[in-house]
Amino acid sequence: TFSRSERHAIDDRLRKISRQIVGDASERDALVVTANLEGIQVRTGGLEMSRRLHSMPQNTLTHYIKYKP
């Protein structure tokens, strides 16, 4: 589990990333497409890569992208 400050830092980073994604798409008049990554297994990269992939907060990032004006 993450401490409150770690959760805050992660949330702040996700908001900045989503803002950048939406801004870049807007500049290019492009569409942002997201996918459900549930069930994807990492077969290469070992345990560390698997842990990093499964700890990514995809749903939160998708939510932030979806609701950007």
Side-chain angles (χ1 to χ4, degrees), residues 8-62:
H8 178 73
I10 290 168
D11 192 59
D12 182 58
R13 187 71 167 163
L14 289 173
R15 289 180 187 277
K16 289 176 182 176
I17 291 168
S18 67
R19 192 175 308 122
Q20 183 68 45
I21 290 170
V22 171
D24 288 351
S26 180
E27 287 176 10
R28 294 176 173 83
D29 196 28
L31 182 66
V32 177
V33 178
T34 61
N36 181 355
L37 300 177
E38 187 175 323
I40 293 178
Q41 295 180 352
V42 177
R43 298 192 191 277
T44 59
L47 185 61
E48 175 64 17
M49 181 56 118
S50 181
R51 183 194 64 78
R52 291 175 66 195
L53 176 65
H54 290 93
S55 68
M56 289 182 359
Q58 296 112 347
N59 290 336
T60 304
L61 181 59
T62 299

Side-chain angles (χ1 to χ4, degrees), residues 1-14 60 64:
T1 62
F2 296 107
S3 69
R4 185 184 312 185
S5 62
E6 288 171 323
R7 285 193 310 267
H8 178 73
I10 290 168
D11 192 59
D12 182 58
R13 187 71 167 163
L14 289 173
T60 304
Y64 289 161

